[in-house]
Amino acid sequence: MDRMQVTEAFAGVALPGHMHTAESLRFASGFQFRDTDVLIATYPKSGTTWMQEILTLILSKGDPESATTIPNWARAPWLEQTYFRDVLPETGGPRLITTHLPCQVLAPALRQAKAKVIYVARNPKDVVVSFYHFHKMAKFLPDPGSFEDFLLHFLDGTVQYGSWFQHIKGWLGQQLDLDLFYITYEELHKDLSRSVERIADWLGFPLQPEEIRAIEQHCSFSSMRENAMVNYTLIPCEIMDHSQGRFMRKGMVGDWKDHFSPLQNMLFQKIYKEEMQDSSLRFHWAMD
Ligand code: PPS
């Protein structure tokens, strides 16, 4: 619970000092992956927890035992956080590992080991809204100020975890060099069972229809919202102030429409266009 007010700077990005230290970040950047490892890479609030749950359930063929008894941060620990070494299993596999780090830090090690990477992206307009609300409850993040202030910091990449634009362009720019599966929060939302099937096939863990149905049920927003192993209610109030909101907040596509003013939307559109114009990436979200 210490270092709540500390910010760590690493690879040009600011990270919360709570759970990130120079030592833990050095360890992450030198980490040797195994070719059986599966790394979930995301910018915060893009569907990380959802993917941790989906992968847990794919590997267990729909058996909810571990998903309902072991917290997500122990099942799919964050590579860059201080506790990582203590919980990473030495044996067995595939091991699920999570990261919010930028691609350039991990790409060389991932290429060498041929580990699998699943990158989950989400409409950045919904990301900024979710991130804003999360800042209000997460005591290890700075006070976000007004939504207007936070939006400006998000657009210029000065929020913690850095620029959304750099993150997605960095990771998806490596699609040809890494064994990388790219999926969006919006695709999960639109057709969860088809998404589960596609991910399972890519992992080499094909599932039976009844297993897919069990995973779909377990990974629904309503079911995950009630699961203490993923809804972060186990975290003490000094770290997450649960009176300020819920981690599993709304789980919607397009919630930004209830938050953005017309002017904020115009600014976002302009910067999104400028930042993404050099990219040939395909997205599955509506920007208007
Ligand atoms: S974090 O802090 O980076 O790990 O957050 P992350 O898990 O990436 O994102 C949290 C948002 O994902 C939503 N969520 C879901 N939406 C739909 N269905 C399911 N099953 C689901 N699980 C998590 C969660 O509610 C956060 O989004 P918002 O918009 O804030 O509700």
Side-chain angles (χ1 to χ4, degrees):
M1 271 178 231
D2 58 348
R3 293 171 49 92
M4 296 291 273
Q5 309 305 325
V6 180
T7 297
E8 275 297 329
F10 182 69
V13 169
L15 296 163
H18 170 68
M19 302 300 260
H20 299 88
T21 60
E23 211 280 320
S24 76
L25 293 162
R26 208 171 24 250
F27 180 80
S29 57
F31 184 68
Q32 290 191 353
F33 291 92
R34 296 181 187 160
D35 57 4
T36 49
D37 287 340
V38 181
L39 180 72
I40 303 166
T42 56
Y43 188 86
K45 316 322 284 184
S46 301
T48 324
T49 316
W50 204 356
M51 189 51 63
Q52 289 172 327
E53 200 72 347
I54 290 168
L55 293 182
T56 300
L57 271 286
I58 289 176
L59 297 183
S60 73
K61 291 197 165 289
D63 179 348
E65 170 71 18
S66 67
T68 51
T69 53
I70 307 171
N72 62 322
W73 61 84
R75 280 185 264 130
W78 268 263
L79 172 63
E80 56 271 25
Q81 298 195 356
T82 48
Y83 74 104
F84 177 73
R85 267 195 262 196
D86 300 333
V87 297
L88 186 75
E90 270 310 313
T91 53
R95 304 183 298 185
L96 298 181
I97 301 171
T98 306
T99 190
H100 288 321
L101 288 178
C103 181
Q104 76 270 18
V105 178
L106 302 177
L110 287 165
R111 271 197 297 268
Q112 211 172 23
K114 301 190 176 55
K116 289 188 180 301
V117 181
I118 184 156
Y119 188 83
V120 190
R122 184 182 189 184
N123 184 334
K125 291 182 176 177
D126 283 335
V127 169
V128 71
V129 169
S130 178
F131 210 11
Y132 173 70
H133 287 286
F134 187 57
H135 272 67
K136 291 203 224 167
M137 69 180 301
K139 307 294 254 183
F140 51 86
L141 291 171
D143 180 342
S146 66
F147 179 67
E148 172 88 11
D149 289 344
F150 188 75
L151 183 64
L152 297 176
H153 286 303
F154 181 85
L155 287 171
D156 68 17
T158 52
V159 288
Q160 301 231 342
Y161 299 94
S163 158
W164 179 89
F165 302 102
Q166 297 307 319
H167 199 277
I168 189 166
K169 286 193 283 187
W171 277 103
L172 295 185
Q174 291 289 318
Q175 278 184 96
L176 296 179
D177 294 324
L178 299 178
D179 184 357
L180 188 148
F181 187 92
Y182 162 49
I183 193 160
T184 59
Y185 179 97
E186 289 72 18
E187 287 171 282
L188 298 175
H189 224 274
K190 190 167 173 204
D191 193 342
L192 185 54
S193 57
R194 178 71 194 118
S195 302
V196 167
E197 193 179 13
R198 284 175 54 213
I199 298 165
D201 287 345
W202 168 73
L203 283 174
F205 273 73
L207 298 166
Q208 297 301 315
E210 64 276 14
E211 294 166 343
I212 296 177
R213 270 196 298 278
I215 296 173
E216 186 183 21
Q217 194 280 325
H218 183 91
C219 295
S220 68
F221 182 74
S222 55
S223 167
M224 282 181 59
R225 200 177 210 210
E226 300 312 315
N227 180 1
M229 297 299 133
V230 287
N231 66 15
Y232 283 91
T233 51
L234 296 178
I235 302 290
C237 278
E238 305 86 77
I239 299 176
M240 276 190 202
D241 183 351
H242 301 288
S243 71
Q244 294 299 311
R246 295 170 79 157
F247 179 90
M248 302 289 293
R249 194 182 58 91
K250 282 193 181 170
M252 279 175 59
V253 167
D255 188 35
W256 66 269
K257 291 179 185 168
D258 283 337
H259 286 76
F260 281 42
S261 70
L263 264 178
Q264 288 167 346
N265 194 33
M266 265 170 60
L267 176 68
F268 203 109
Q269 295 287 98
K270 178 174 169 290
I271 294 180
Y272 183 87
K273 210 169 150 200
E274 284 167 10
E275 290 273 1
M276 301 310 275
Q277 65 186 0
D278 58 343
S279 157
S280 57
L281 301 170
R282 282 168 48 82
F283 301 109
H284 298 267
W285 49 68
M287 288 301 286
D288 44 23

